[in-house]
Amino acid sequence: MQTTLKLLLVMRTTFTYIKKPDDLKKYVDDCINTGSIESLFEDPNIPTSFYDDGRAVSLALQKAINRRTASPTKGSFETVGNRMTSAVTWLHGYADRVEVISNDDANCSTRQEIGANISSSFLTHHKLVSGRKGNPPTPEFVAKNVGSGEVDVDILNGADYTPEKTVFIAIELSAKATLALAKGILNINQEEKGQTMVMVATKKGKLTHFVGLKPGVQYAIYAYSQNGFKQTSELSLPVLVKG
């Protein structure tokens, strides 16, 4: 299958970021129910046996969910996690096939048509036009204590949140710090002494793990995203969490 247009690919974060097993199962089912009857993706272009594999994956995930509900043990939770991994693996295989078929010259003459092909599979495609990167969006996030002096920070922005990097700053609340961000330069003024820690997540990283914070001490965590030295988001509002 030859292609002369620039490839348009599936946005796989649409399903790899699904955290709830019920939502992931539904996504698999929607892909199967849509693709298996769509002329571009029905058998033999994508074999019936492949869709049958997806149905088996979905059924196994549902059974694991049911067992976890009936008996919420460590083992049942681990089984759900394993079945979710199998579901994501199947979805990657589906995306592989959809990309090849959608980008085939026989099925498209413009990138807009490639996008329409991918959409008809229930999957989501990347943006058709990739313009010059401007200021990225301001991060929205939650912070949670996960151990003595350890904090997880989880970005809540959607799949289109793809800056070059995200910078996180944790400062002891008692330091009475004032932060200002202008043209990529972060200025921190502290009225009192206190620990400051900076972590950087690159590309699509949406989870950052702080270690070495003072246990039981309250911190204010700020963040901003960056595409270049001057292409930065606004500084986020602080999120409070204990170390």
Side-chain angles (χ1 to χ4, degrees):
M1 293 183 180
Q2 295 182 342
T3 58
T4 55
L5 297 169
K6 182 179 179 181
L7 289 175
L8 184 62
L9 302 179
V10 171
M11 184 178 290
R12 304 193 184 212
T13 52
T14 303
F15 55 82
T16 58
Y17 284 167
I18 296 176
K19 296 182 178 179
K20 295 181 179 179
D22 293 295
D23 292 344
L24 185 60
K25 179 191 180 300
K26 183 178 185 303
Y27 195 89
V28 170
D29 292 342
D30 287 338
C31 286
I32 294 170
N33 295 334
T34 301
S36 62
I37 62 172
E38 173 60 42
S39 58
L40 272 182
F41 309 116
E42 65 183 358
D43 186 78
N45 293 340
I46 296 181
T48 298
S49 59
F50 179 79
Y51 288 114
D52 287 342
D53 289 343
R55 293 184 180 95
V57 165
S58 175
L59 179 61
L61 177 55
Q62 184 60 63
K63 288 181 177 179
I65 294 170
N66 294 343
R67 284 195 295 271
R68 187 189 66 176
T69 301
S71 178
T73 63
K74 179 181 178 181
S76 64
F77 273 85
E78 289 178 348
T79 300
V80 169
N82 291 335
R83 298 296 179 265
M84 290 181 70
T85 298
S86 297
V88 170
T89 299
W90 183 88
L91 287 167
H92 277 301
Y94 181 55
D96 290 341
R97 290 163 173 78
V98 167
E99 286 174 345
V100 171
I101 295 168
S102 297
N103 284 276
D104 185 358
D105 283 350
N107 299 324
C108 61
S109 58
T110 66
R111 296 189 82 238
Q112 286 75 15
E113 289 182 357
I114 302 173
N117 291 343
I118 292 174
S119 295
S120 69
S121 73
F122 194 78
L123 295 170
T124 302
H125 60 78
H126 282 274
K127 292 180 180 179
L128 289 168
V129 178
S130 181
R132 177 180 178 272
K133 287 188 175 181
N135 293 344
T138 302
E140 298 178 10
F141 61 94
V142 293
K144 179 182 179 182
N145 178 278
V146 293
S148 181
E150 298 185 35
V151 168
D152 274 350
V153 180
D154 194 3
I155 293 287
L156 299 177
N157 301 67
D160 58 348
Y161 180 81
T162 56
E164 290 297 315
K165 63 182 178 181
T166 305
V167 181
F168 299 90
I169 309 100
I171 306 178
E172 280 188 63
L173 193 62
S174 60
K176 299 180 181 179
T178 303
L179 283 70
L181 177 66
K183 296 183 179 180
I185 299 175
L186 179 67
N187 188 18
I188 303 175
N189 288 316
Q190 295 183 200
E191 294 183 18
E192 306 290 343
K193 292 182 179 180
Q195 183 185 27
T196 298
M197 187 177 294
V198 177
M199 297 286 291
V200 177
T202 58
K203 297 295 183 181
K204 297 180 181 180
K206 290 197 171 187
L207 178 65
T208 294
H209 181 67
F210 280 94
V211 295
L213 301 175
K214 297 177 182 178
V217 172
Q218 196 163 40
Y219 287 79
I221 297 182
Y222 299 80
Y224 65 92
S225 56
Q226 194 167 19
N227 279 335
F229 181 68
K230 294 184 178 180
Q231 293 175 316
T232 60
S233 71
E234 294 182 359
L235 187 67
S236 72
L237 294 174
V239 173
L240 302 184
V241 64
K242 287 187 178 181

